[in-house]
Amino acid sequence: MKNITKVDDENFRGYWVRIQRDHRKVSKRFRRRNFDSWEEAKEKAIEYRDNWIKEWEESARNPDQKIQYKNSVTGELGIHKTTKNGVVYLGVSYIDENDEQKVKSFKVGVPDEKDYSKKYDEVMETAKKFRDKVNMKRFGVRWINYKKRKGVIK
């Protein structure tokens, strides 16, 4: 039984429901002594688990899709750096409304240019806003919780 553990020791006898989704943890115990039988305690635990997951799936956007980004050399989640013909670009990889993989590139410029670091910082902010916009549209609050888990926001 997924997310349900049967416990039978001197401290606790019953079923323990433990669920974790999007930075939220749920833990609830169903003691055997509070029910007429082990089977009744088990049924209540299963019912609780199924109801909680159903509520989460109804409130979460795209609950069946995993949010996953690798850290890149930019130090920002989901933003990578590329160079083409000496020109630096920052890119954001995302999935659009049609479930197609896309990459949006933001031109920074040539590293030898005057004010390159200022331009880099400005383009990085633009790329972060775009990344957050597309992910909020796709995942909703799940995106915020993902960034909290990764330490991007406190």
Side-chain angles (χ1 to χ4, degrees), residues 101-118:
Q101 184 78 33
K102 302 279 185 175
V103 175
K104 171 111 175 164
S105 295
F106 300 89
K107 183 178 177 182
V108 178
V110 180
D112 297 336
E113 286 180 337
K114 181 181 167 187
D115 295 335
Y116 172 79
S117 64
K118 181 182 175 188

Side-chain angles (χ1 to χ4, degrees), residues 4 15 17 28-31 34-52:
I4 300 176
Y15 290 92
V17 178
K28 183 168 174 125
R29 295 178 181 207
F30 294 84
R31 292 189 180 274
N34 296 340
F35 300 95
D36 293 334
S37 67
W38 277 97
E39 193 58 37
E40 186 181 350
K42 179 180 173 182
E43 288 172 8
K44 292 295 183 185
I46 290 170
E47 180 182 330
Y48 176 82
R49 176 203 60 197
D50 292 346
N51 287 337
W52 193 93

Side-chain angles (χ1 to χ4, degrees), residues 20-24 52-53 55-69 77 131-153:
Q20 181 174 340
R21 298 283 189 282
D22 295 331
H23 208 52
R24 292 170 35 200
W52 193 93
I53 290 176
E55 284 180 24
W56 174 78
E57 286 176 343
E58 289 172 355
S59 66
R61 286 193 197 151
N62 299 315
D64 57 330
Q65 297 175 0
K66 187 174 182 180
I67 305 172
Q68 186 172 355
Y69 278 107
L77 197 61
R131 174 204 64 194
D132 289 342
K133 180 182 167 189
V134 296
N135 283 315
M136 279 300 292
K137 187 175 182 181
R138 183 165 182 226
F139 297 112
V141 74
R142 292 182 64 215
W143 172 245
I144 295 168
N145 291 332
Y146 181 77
K147 287 185 2 178
K148 283 180 183 175
R149 277 196 317 276
K150 293 295 184 176
V152 175
I153 57 176

Side-chain angles (χ1 to χ4, degrees), residues 3 48 53 71 82 85 97 108 110 119-121 124 153:
N3 300 318
Y48 176 82
I53 290 176
N71 287 335
T82 59
N85 298 328
E97 305 85 33
V108 178
V110 180
K119 177 81 170 161
Y120 182 91
D121 292 340
M124 178 60 79
I153 57 176

